[in-house]
Amino acid sequence: MILRNKLTKEKLDIPYSEFRKKFAKDIQDAFESYRKTQLNKYSYNFKDDNSMEFNFYFELYWNFNHHACSDWYIEKFN
């Protein structure tokens, strides 16, 4: 996957497994933001956190870019 820094425009091409390790805190922050947003919208649709987490990772590209307060964003998913 290709990530780009919003400030320096630095480009980072790393595999998904390394992305999960290096950006674990940013992913967790994005998930918490996503979770709060979804619970405010329609909490009755989620039976548990597992289904919410599945939906978050299913659209990780969009969710990471829009819910994480990170200097990095996902430019391309390989």
Side-chain angles (χ1 to χ4, degrees):
M1 68 189 331
I2 298 173
L3 292 105
R4 187 165 303 266
N5 190 302
K6 295 175 189 174
L7 304 174
T8 64
K9 304 299 182 202
E10 178 186 353
K11 185 177 174 181
L12 187 61
D13 191 0
I14 58 174
Y16 178 71
S17 58
E18 190 176 328
F19 167 75
R20 291 285 307 260
K21 291 176 190 172
K22 187 171 184 172
F23 293 93
K25 178 159 177 22
D26 293 326
I27 293 169
Q28 184 61 37
D29 291 344
F31 176 70
E32 290 302 319
S33 174
Y34 170 81
R35 185 177 180 278
K36 288 177 186 175
T37 301
Q38 295 305 315
L39 288 175
N40 285 333
K41 285 183 180 177
Y42 47 90
S43 61
Y44 59 87
N45 282 342
F46 296 106
K47 294 177 179 68
D48 56 22
D49 275 348
N50 290 335
S51 60
M52 189 176 298
E53 188 172 2
F54 173 80
N55 288 338
F56 172 80
Y57 281 104
F58 183 72
E59 296 180 0
L60 180 63
Y61 180 88
W62 194 93
N63 288 323
F64 183 81
N65 289 345
H66 292 88
H67 287 284
C69 295
S70 175
D71 290 339
W72 294 89
Y73 66 93
I74 299 171
E75 188 173 86
K76 182 178 178 187
F77 238 102
N78 296 347

Coordinates of all heavy atoms in Angstrom, one line a residue:
M1 N 0.8 -1.2 0.0 CA 0.0 0.0 0.0 C 0.9 1.2 0.0 O 2.0 1.2 0.5 CB -1.0 0.0 1.2 CG -0.4 0.1 2.5 SD -1.5 -0.2 3.9 CE -3.1 0.2 3.4
I2 N 0.4 2.3 -0.6 CA 1.1 3.5 -0.7 C 0.5 4.6 0.2 O -0.7 4.8 0.2 CB 1.1 4.0 -2.1 CG1 1.8 3.0 -3.0 CG2 1.9 5.4 -2.2 CD1 1.8 3.3 -4.5
L3 N 1.3 5.1 1.1 CA 0.9 6.2 2.0 C 1.6 7.5 1.6 O 2.8 7.4 1.2 CB 1.1 5.8 3.4 CG 0.3 4.7 4.0 CD1 1.1 3.4 4.1 CD2 -0.3 5.0 5.3
R4 N 1.0 8.6 1.9 CA 1.6 9.9 1.6 C 1.4 10.8 2.9 O 0.4 10.8 3.5 CB 1.1 10.5 0.4 CG 1.9 11.8 0.0 CD 1.6 12.3 -1.4 NE 1.8 11.3 -2.4 CZ 2.9 11.2 -3.1 NH1 4.0 12.0 -2.8 NH2 3.0 10.4 -4.2
N5 N 2.5 11.5 3.2 CA 2.5 12.4 4.3 C 1.8 13.7 3.8 O 2.2 14.3 2.8 CB 3.9 12.7 4.8 CG 3.9 13.5 6.1 OD1 3.4 14.6 6.2 ND2 4.5 12.9 7.1
K6 N 0.8 14.2 4.5 CA 0.1 15.4 4.2 C 1.0 16.7 4.2 O 0.8 17.6 3.4 CB -1.1 15.7 5.1 CG -2.1 14.6 5.0 CD -3.2 14.8 6.0 CE -4.2 13.7 6.1 NZ -5.2 13.8 7.2
L7 N 2.0 16.7 5.1 CA 2.8 17.9 5.3 C 4.0 17.9 4.4 O 4.3 18.9 3.7 CB 3.2 18.0 6.8 CG 2.1 18.0 7.8 CD1 2.6 17.9 9.2 CD2 1.2 19.2 7.6
T8 N 4.7 16.8 4.4 CA 6.0 16.8 3.6 C 5.9 16.2 2.2 O 6.8 16.2 1.4 CB 7.0 15.9 4.4 OG1 6.6 14.6 4.5 CG2 7.3 16.5 5.8
K9 N 4.7 15.6 1.9 CA 4.5 14.9 0.6 C 5.4 13.7 0.5 O 5.5 13.1 -0.6 CB 4.6 15.8 -0.5 CG 3.7 17.1 -0.5 CD 2.3 16.7 -0.4 CE 1.4 18.0 -0.4 NZ 0.1 17.8 0.2
E10 N 6.0 13.2 1.6 CA 6.8 12.0 1.5 C 5.9 10.8 1.2 O 4.8 10.7 1.6 CB 7.5 11.8 2.9 CG 8.3 10.5 3.0 CD 8.8 10.3 4.4 OE1 8.6 11.2 5.3 OE2 9.4 9.2 4.6
K11 N 6.5 9.9 0.4 CA 5.7 8.7 -0.1 C 6.3 7.5 0.6 O 7.5 7.4 0.7 CB 5.8 8.6 -1.6 CG 5.0 7.5 -2.2 CD 5.2 7.6 -3.8 CE 4.5 6.5 -4.4 NZ 4.7 6.6 -5.9
L12 N 5.4 6.6 1.0 CA 5.9 5.4 1.7 C 5.1 4.2 1.1 O 3.9 4.2 1.1 CB 5.5 5.5 3.2 CG 6.0 4.5 4.2 CD1 7.5 4.5 4.2 CD2 5.5 4.8 5.6
D13 N 5.9 3.3 0.6 CA 5.3 2.1 0.0 C 5.7 0.9 0.9 O 6.8 0.4 1.0 CB 5.9 1.9 -1.4 CG 5.2 0.8 -2.2 OD1 4.2 0.2 -1.7 OD2 5.6 0.6 -3.4
I14 N 4.6 0.4 1.6 CA 4.9 -0.7 2.6 C 3.8 -1.7 2.4 O 2.7 -1.4 2.0 CB 4.9 -0.1 4.0 CG1 3.6 0.6 4.4 CG2 6.1 0.8 4.3 CD1 3.4 1.0 5.8
P15 N 4.1 -3.0 2.8 CA 3.0 -4.0 2.8 C 2.0 -3.8 3.9 O 2.3 -3.1 4.9 CB 3.8 -5.3 3.1 CG 5.1 -4.9 3.6 CD 5.4 -3.5 3.2
Y16 N 0.8 -4.4 3.8 CA -0.3 -4.2 4.7 C 0.1 -4.6 6.2 O -0.2 -3.9 7.1 CB -1.5 -5.0 4.3 CG -2.6 -4.9 5.2 CD1 -3.4 -3.7 5.3 CD2 -3.0 -6.0 6.0 CE1 -4.5 -3.6 6.2 CE2 -4.1 -5.9 6.9 CZ -4.8 -4.7 6.9 OH -5.9 -4.6 7.8
S17 N 0.9 -5.7 6.3 CA 1.3 -6.1 7.7 C 2.2 -5.1 8.4 O 2.0 -4.8 9.6 CB 2.0 -7.4 7.6 OG 3.2 -7.3 6.7
E18 N 3.0 -4.4 7.6 CA 3.9 -3.4 8.2 C 3.1 -2.2 8.5 O 3.3 -1.5 9.6 CB 5.0 -3.0 7.3 CG 6.1 -2.2 7.9 CD 7.3 -1.9 7.0 OE1 7.6 -2.8 6.2 OE2 7.8 -0.8 7.1
F19 N 2.1 -1.8 7.7 CA 1.2 -0.7 8.0 C 0.5 -0.9 9.3 O 0.4 0.0 10.1 CB 0.2 -0.6 6.8 CG -0.9 0.3 7.1 CD1 -0.8 1.7 7.1 CD2 -2.2 -0.2 7.4 CE1 -1.8 2.6 7.4 CE2 -3.3 0.7 7.6 CZ -3.1 2.0 7.7
R20 N 0.0 -2.1 9.5 CA -0.8 -2.4 10.7 C 0.1 -2.3 12.0 O -0.3 -1.8 13.0 CB -1.3 -3.9 10.7 CG -2.4 -4.1 9.7 CD -3.7 -3.6 10.2 NE -4.2 -4.0 11.5 CZ -5.0 -4.9 11.8 NH1 -5.6 -5.6 10.8 NH2 -5.3 -5.2 13.0
K21 N 1.4 -2.6 11.8 CA 2.3 -2.5 13.0 C 2.8 -1.0 13.2 O 2.7 -0.5 14.3 CB 3.6 -3.3 12.7 CG 3.4 -4.8 12.8 CD 4.7 -5.5 12.4 CE 4.4 -7.0 12.3 NZ 5.6 -7.7 11.7
K22 N 3.2 -0.3 12.1 CA 3.7 1.0 12.2 C 2.6 2.1 12.6 O 2.9 3.0 13.3 CB 4.3 1.4 10.9 CG 5.1 2.7 10.9 CD 5.9 2.9 9.7 CE 6.7 4.2 9.8 NZ 7.7 4.4 8.8
F23 N 1.4 1.9 12.1 CA 0.3 2.8 12.3 C -0.8 2.3 13.2 O -1.9 2.7 13.2 CB -0.3 3.2 11.0 CG 0.7 4.0 10.1 CD1 1.5 3.4 9.2 CD2 0.8 5.4 10.2 CE1 2.3 4.1 8.4 CE2 1.7 6.1 9.4 CZ 2.5 5.4 8.5
A24 N -0.4 1.4 14.2 CA -1.4 0.8 15.1 C -2.1 1.8 15.9 O -3.3 1.8 16.0 CB -0.6 -0.2 16.0
K25 N -1.4 2.8 16.4 CA -2.1 3.9 17.2 C -3.1 4.7 16.3 O -4.2 5.0 16.8 CB -1.1 4.8 17.9 CG -1.8 5.9 18.7 CD -0.9 6.5 19.7 CE -1.5 7.6 20.5 NZ -2.9 7.8 20.6
D26 N -2.6 5.1 15.1 CA -3.5 5.8 14.2 C -4.7 5.0 13.8 O -5.8 5.6 13.7 CB -2.7 6.3 13.0 CG -1.6 7.3 13.3 OD1 -1.8 8.1 14.2 OD2 -0.6 7.2 12.6
I27 N -4.5 3.7 13.6 CA -5.7 2.9 13.2 C -6.6 2.8 14.4 O -7.9 2.9 14.2 CB -5.2 1.5 12.8 CG1 -4.4 1.6 11.5 CG2 -6.4 0.5 12.7 CD1 -3.7 0.3 11.1
Q28 N -6.1 2.6 15.6 CA -7.0 2.6 16.8 C -7.7 3.9 17.0 O -8.9 3.8 17.3 CB -6.1 2.2 18.1 CG -6.9 2.0 19.3 CD -7.9 0.9 19.2 OE1 -7.6 -0.2 18.6 NE2 -9.1 1.0 19.8
D29 N -7.1 5.0 16.8 CA -7.7 6.3 17.0 C -8.8 6.4 15.9 O -9.9 6.9 16.2 CB -6.7 7.4 16.8 CG -5.8 7.5 18.0 OD1 -6.0 6.9 19.1 OD2 -4.7 8.2 17.9
A30 N -8.5 6.0 14.7 CA -9.5 6.1 13.6 C -10.7 5.2 13.9 O -11.9 5.6 13.7 CB -8.9 5.7 12.3
F31 N -10.5 4.0 14.5 CA -11.6 3.1 14.8 C -12.4 3.7 15.9 O -13.7 3.6 15.9 CB -11.0 1.7 15.3 CG -12.1 0.8 15.7 CD1 -13.0 0.3 14.8 CD2 -12.3 0.5 17.1 CE1 -14.1 -0.5 15.3 CE2 -13.3 -0.3 17.5 CZ -14.2 -0.9 16.6
E32 N -11.8 4.3 16.9 CA -12.6 4.9 18.0 C -13.5 6.1 17.5 O -14.6 6.2 17.9 CB -11.7 5.4 19.1 CG -11.0 4.3 19.9 CD -12.0 3.4 20.6 OE1 -13.1 3.8 21.1 OE2 -11.8 2.1 20.6
S33 N -12.9 6.8 16.6 CA -13.7 7.9 16.0 C -14.8 7.4 15.1 O -16.0 7.8 15.2 CB -12.8 8.8 15.1 OG -13.5 9.8 14.4
Y34 N -14.5 6.3 14.4 CA -15.5 5.7 13.5 C -16.6 5.1 14.4 O -17.8 5.2 14.1 CB -14.9 4.6 12.7 CG -15.8 3.6 12.0 CD1 -16.4 4.0 10.8 CD2 -16.1 2.4 12.6 CE1 -17.3 3.1 10.1 CE2 -17.0 1.5 11.9 CZ -17.6 1.9 10.7 OH -18.4 1.1 10.1
R35 N -16.2 4.5 15.5 CA -17.2 3.8 16.4 C -18.1 4.9 17.0 O -19.4 4.7 17.0 CB -16.4 3.1 17.5 CG -17.3 2.3 18.5 CD -16.4 1.6 19.5 NE -17.2 0.8 20.4 CZ -17.7 1.3 21.5 NH1 -17.6 2.6 21.8 NH2 -18.5 0.5 22.3
K36 N -17.6 6.0 17.5 CA -18.4 7.0 18.1 C -19.4 7.6 17.0 O -20.6 7.8 17.3 CB -17.6 8.1 18.6 CG -16.9 7.7 19.9 CD -16.0 8.9 20.4 CE -15.1 8.4 21.6 NZ -14.2 9.4 22.0
T37 N -18.9 7.8 15.8 CA -19.7 8.3 14.7 C -20.9 7.4 14.4 O -22.0 7.8 14.3 CB -18.9 8.5 13.5 OG1 -17.9 9.5 13.8 CG2 -19.7 9.1 12.3
Q38 N -20.6 6.1 14.3 CA -21.6 5.1 14.0 C -22.6 4.9 15.1 O -23.8 4.8 14.8 CB -20.9 3.7 13.6 CG -20.1 3.8 12.4 CD -20.8 4.3 11.2 OE1 -21.9 3.9 10.9 NE2 -20.2 5.2 10.4
L39 N -22.2 4.9 16.3 CA -23.1 4.8 17.4 C -24.1 6.0 17.5 O -25.2 5.8 17.9 CB -22.3 4.6 18.7 CG -21.6 3.3 18.9 CD1 -20.8 3.2 20.2 CD2 -22.6 2.1 18.9
N40 N -23.6 7.1 17.1 CA -24.5 8.3 17.1 C -25.5 8.2 16.0 O -26.6 8.8 16.0 CB -23.7 9.6 17.0 CG -23.0 9.9 18.3 OD1 -23.5 9.5 19.4 ND2 -21.9 10.6 18.2
K41 N -25.2 7.5 14.9 CA -26.0 7.4 13.7 C -27.1 6.4 13.9 O -28.3 6.7 13.9 CB -25.2 7.1 12.5 CG -24.4 8.2 11.9 CD -23.8 7.7 10.6 CE -22.9 8.8 10.0 NZ -22.2 8.2 8.8
Y42 N -26.7 5.2 14.0 CA -27.7 4.1 14.1 C -27.2 2.9 14.9 O -26.8 1.9 14.4 CB -28.1 3.6 12.7 CG -26.9 3.4 11.8 CD1 -26.3 2.1 11.7 CD2 -26.5 4.4 11.0 CE1 -25.3 1.9 10.8 CE2 -25.4 4.2 10.1 CZ -24.8 2.9 10.0 OH -23.8 2.7 9.1
S43 N -27.1 3.1 16.2 CA -26.6 2.1 17.1 C -27.3 0.7 17.1 O -26.8 -0.3 17.4 CB -26.5 2.6 18.5 OG -27.7 2.9 19.0
Y44 N -28.6 0.8 16.7 CA -29.4 -0.5 16.7 C -28.9 -1.5 15.6 O -29.3 -2.6 15.7 CB -30.8 -0.1 16.5 CG -31.1 0.6 15.2 CD1 -31.4 -0.1 14.0 CD2 -31.1 2.0 15.2 CE1 -31.6 0.6 12.8 CE2 -31.4 2.7 14.0 CZ -31.6 2.0 12.8 OH -31.9 2.6 11.7
N45 N -28.1 -1.1 14.6 CA -27.7 -2.0 13.6 C -26.5 -2.9 14.0 O -26.3 -3.9 13.3 CB -27.3 -1.2 12.3 CG -28.5 -0.7 11.5 OD1 -29.6 -1.3 11.7 ND2 -28.3 0.2 10.7
F46 N -25.8 -2.6 15.1 CA -24.7 -3.3 15.5 C -25.0 -4.1 16.7 O -25.3 -3.6 17.7 CB -23.5 -2.4 15.7 CG -23.0 -1.7 14.5 CD1 -23.3 -0.3 14.3 CD2 -22.3 -2.3 13.5 CE1 -22.9 0.4 13.2 CE2 -21.9 -1.7 12.3 CZ -22.2 -0.3 12.2
K47 N -24.9 -5.4 16.5 CA -25.1 -6.3 17.7 C -24.0 -6.3 18.7 O -24.2 -6.5 19.9 CB -25.4 -7.8 17.2 CG -26.6 -7.9 16.3 CD -26.8 -9.3 15.8 CE -28.0 -9.5 15.0 NZ -28.1 -8.7 13.7
D48 N -22.7 -6.1 18.2 CA -21.6 -6.1 19.0 C -20.4 -5.4 18.3 O -20.6 -4.9 17.2 CB -21.1 -7.5 19.4 CG -20.8 -8.4 18.1 OD1 -20.6 -7.8 17.0 OD2 -20.9 -9.6 18.2
D49 N -19.3 -5.2 19.0 CA -18.2 -4.5 18.5 C -17.5 -5.2 17.3 O -16.8 -4.6 16.5 CB -17.2 -4.2 19.6 CG -17.5 -2.9 20.3 OD1 -18.4 -2.1 19.8 OD2 -16.9 -2.6 21.4
N50 N -17.7 -6.6 17.3 CA -17.0 -7.3 16.2 C -17.6 -7.0 14.9 O -16.8 -6.8 13.9 CB -17.2 -8.8 16.5 CG -16.4 -9.3 17.6 OD1 -15.3 -8.7 18.0 ND2 -16.8 -10.4 18.2
S51 N -18.9 -6.8 14.7 CA -19.5 -6.4 13.5 C -19.1 -5.0 13.1 O -18.8 -4.7 11.9 CB -21.0 -6.6 13.5 OG -21.6 -5.7 14.4
M52 N -19.0 -4.1 14.1 CA -18.5 -2.8 13.8 C -17.1 -2.7 13.4 O -16.7 -2.0 12.4 CB -18.7 -1.9 15.1 CG -18.5 -0.4 14.8 SD -18.8 0.6 16.2 CE -20.5 0.3 16.5
E53 N -16.2 -3.5 14.0 CA -14.8 -3.6 13.6 C -14.7 -4.2 12.2 O -13.9 -3.7 11.4 CB -14.0 -4.4 14.6 CG -12.5 -4.4 14.4 CD -11.8 -5.1 15.5 OE1 -12.4 -5.6 16.5 OE2 -10.5 -5.1 15.4
F54 N -15.5 -5.2 11.9 CA -15.5 -5.8 10.5 C -15.8 -4.7 9.5 O -15.1 -4.6 8.5 CB -16.5 -6.9 10.4 CG -16.6 -7.4 9.0 CD1 -15.6 -8.3 8.5 CD2 -17.6 -7.1 8.2 CE1 -15.7 -8.8 7.2 CE2 -17.8 -7.5 6.9 CZ -16.8 -8.4 6.4
N55 N -16.8 -3.9 9.8 CA -17.2 -2.8 8.8 C -16.1 -1.8 8.7 O -15.9 -1.3 7.6 CB -18.5 -2.2 9.3 CG -19.7 -3.1 9.0 OD1 -19.7 -4.0 8.2 ND2 -20.8 -2.8 9.8
F56 N -15.4 -1.5 9.8 CA -14.4 -0.5 9.8 C -13.2 -1.0 8.9 O -12.8 -0.3 8.0 CB -13.8 -0.3 11.2 CG -12.6 0.6 11.2 CD1 -12.7 2.0 11.1 CD2 -11.3 0.0 11.4 CE1 -11.5 2.7 11.1 CE2 -10.2 0.8 11.4 CZ -10.3 2.1 11.3
Y57 N -12.8 -2.2 9.1 CA -11.7 -2.8 8.3 C -12.1 -3.1 6.8 O -11.3 -3.0 5.9 CB -11.1 -4.0 8.9 CG -10.2 -3.6 10.1 CD1 -10.6 -3.8 11.4 CD2 -8.9 -3.1 9.8 CE1 -9.7 -3.4 12.4 CE2 -8.1 -2.7 10.9 CZ -8.5 -2.9 12.2 OH -7.7 -2.5 13.2
F58 N -13.4 -3.3 6.6 CA -13.9 -3.6 5.2 C -13.6 -2.3 4.4 O -13.3 -2.4 3.2 CB -15.3 -4.0 5.3 CG -15.9 -4.3 3.9 CD1 -15.5 -5.5 3.3 CD2 -16.8 -3.4 3.3 CE1 -16.0 -5.8 2.0 CE2 -17.3 -3.8 2.0 CZ -16.9 -4.9 1.4
E59 N -13.8 -1.2 5.0 CA -13.6 0.1 4.3 C -12.4 0.9 4.9 O -12.5 2.1 5.2 CB -14.9 0.9 4.3 CG -16.0 0.3 3.6 CD -17.3 1.1 3.6 OE1 -17.3 2.2 4.2 OE2 -18.2 0.7 3.0
L60 N -11.3 0.2 5.2 CA -10.2 0.8 5.9 C -9.7 2.0 5.2 O -9.3 3.0 5.8 CB -9.1 -0.2 6.1 CG -7.8 0.3 6.8 CD1 -8.2 0.7 8.2 CD2 -6.8 -0.8 6.9
Y61 N -9.6 1.9 3.8 CA -9.0 3.0 3.0 C -9.8 4.3 3.4 O -9.2 5.3 3.7 CB -9.2 2.6 1.5 CG -8.7 3.6 0.5 CD1 -7.4 3.6 0.1 CD2 -9.6 4.6 0.0 CE1 -7.0 4.5 -0.8 CE2 -9.2 5.5 -0.9 CZ -7.8 5.5 -1.3 OH -7.4 6.4 -2.3
W62 N -11.1 4.3 3.3 CA -11.9 5.5 3.5 C -11.8 5.9 5.0 O -11.7 7.0 5.4 CB -13.3 5.3 3.1 CG -14.1 6.6 3.0 CD1 -14.2 7.4 1.9 CD2 -14.8 7.3 4.1 NE1 -15.0 8.5 2.3 CE2 -15.3 8.5 3.6 CE3 -15.0 7.0 5.4 CZ2 -16.1 9.3 4.4 CZ3 -15.7 7.8 6.2 CH2 -16.3 9.0 5.7
N63 N -12.0 4.9 5.9 CA -12.1 5.2 7.3 C -10.8 5.7 7.9 O -10.8 6.6 8.7 CB -12.5 3.9 8.1 CG -14.0 3.6 7.8 OD1 -14.8 4.5 7.7 ND2 -14.3 2.3 7.7
F64 N -9.7 5.2 7.5 CA -8.4 5.7 7.9 C -8.2 7.1 7.5 O -7.8 8.0 8.2 CB -7.2 4.8 7.5 CG -5.9 5.2 8.0 CD1 -5.5 4.9 9.2 CD2 -5.0 6.0 7.2 CE1 -4.3 5.3 9.8 CE2 -3.8 6.4 7.7 CZ -3.4 6.0 9.0
N65 N -8.5 7.4 6.2 CA -8.3 8.7 5.7 C -9.2 9.8 6.3 O -8.8 10.9 6.4 CB -8.4 8.7 4.2 CG -7.3 8.0 3.5 OD1 -6.2 7.8 4.1 ND2 -7.4 7.7 2.2
H66 N -10.4 9.4 6.7 CA -11.4 10.4 7.2 C -11.5 10.4 8.7 O -12.1 11.4 9.2 CB -12.7 10.1 6.5 CG -12.7 10.4 5.1 ND1 -12.3 9.5 4.1 CD2 -12.9 11.6 4.4 CE1 -12.3 10.1 2.9 NE2 -12.7 11.4 3.1
H67 N -11.1 9.4 9.4 CA -11.3 9.3 10.9 C -10.0 9.4 11.7 O -10.1 9.7 12.8 CB -12.1 8.0 11.3 CG -13.5 8.1 10.9 ND1 -14.5 8.8 11.6 CD2 -14.2 7.4 9.9 CE1 -15.6 8.6 11.0 NE2 -15.5 7.8 10.0
A68 N -8.9 9.2 11.0 CA -7.6 9.3 11.8 C -7.1 10.7 11.7 O -7.2 11.4 10.7 CB -6.6 8.3 11.1
C69 N -6.6 11.1 12.9 CA -5.9 12.4 12.9 C -4.4 12.2 12.7 O -3.7 12.3 13.7 CB -6.2 13.1 14.3 SG -7.9 13.5 14.5
S70 N -4.1 11.8 11.5 CA -2.7 11.5 11.2 C -2.2 12.4 10.1 O -2.9 12.9 9.3 CB -2.7 10.0 10.8 OG -1.4 9.6 10.4
D71 N -0.9 12.5 10.1 CA -0.2 13.3 9.0 C -0.2 12.4 7.8 O 0.2 12.9 6.7 CB 1.2 13.7 9.4 CG 1.2 14.8 10.5 OD1 0.1 15.5 10.6 OD2 2.2 14.9 11.2
W72 N -0.4 11.1 7.9 CA -0.4 10.2 6.7 C -1.8 9.9 6.3 O -2.7 9.8 7.0 CB 0.3 8.9 7.1 CG 1.8 9.2 7.5 CD1 2.3 9.5 8.7 CD2 2.9 9.1 6.6 NE1 3.7 9.6 8.6 CE2 4.0 9.4 7.3 CE3 3.0 8.8 5.2 CZ2 5.3 9.4 6.7 CZ3 4.2 8.9 4.6 CH2 5.4 9.1 5.4
Y73 N -1.9 9.6 5.0 CA -3.2 9.1 4.4 C -2.8 8.0 3.4 O -1.8 8.0 2.8 CB -4.0 10.2 3.8 CG -3.4 10.9 2.6 CD1 -3.7 10.4 1.3 CD2 -2.5 11.9 2.7 CE1 -3.2 11.0 0.2 CE2 -2.0 12.5 1.6 CZ -2.3 12.1 0.3 OH -1.8 12.6 -0.8
I74 N -3.8 7.1 3.2 CA -3.6 6.0 2.3 C -3.9 6.6 0.9 O -5.0 7.0 0.6 CB -4.5 4.9 2.6 CG1 -4.2 4.3 4.0 CG2 -4.4 3.7 1.5 CD1 -5.2 3.3 4.5
E75 N -2.9 6.5 0.0 CA -3.1 7.0 -1.3 C -3.6 5.9 -2.3 O -4.4 6.1 -3.1 CB -1.8 7.6 -1.9 CG -1.9 8.3 -3.2 CD -0.6 8.9 -3.5 OE1 0.3 8.3 -4.1 OE2 -0.4 10.1 -3.2
K76 N -3.1 4.7 -2.0 CA -3.4 3.5 -2.9 C -3.3 2.2 -2.1 O -2.3 2.0 -1.4 CB -2.5 3.5 -4.1 CG -2.8 2.4 -5.1 CD -1.9 2.5 -6.3 CE -2.2 1.3 -7.2 NZ -1.3 1.3 -8.3
F77 N -4.3 1.4 -2.2 CA -4.3 0.1 -1.7 C -3.9 -0.9 -2.8 O -4.5 -0.9 -3.8 CB -5.7 -0.3 -1.2 CG -5.8 -0.7 0.2 CD1 -6.3 0.2 1.1 CD2 -5.4 -1.9 0.7 CE1 -6.4 -0.1 2.5 CE2 -5.5 -2.2 2.0 CZ -6.0 -1.3 2.9
N78 N -2.8 -1.6 -2.6 CA -2.3 -2.5 -3.6 C -3.2 -3.8 -3.6 O -3.7 -4.3 -2.8 CB -0.9 -2.9 -3.4 CG 0.0 -1.7 -3.6 OD1 -0.4 -0.6 -4.1 ND2 1.2 -1.8 -3.2

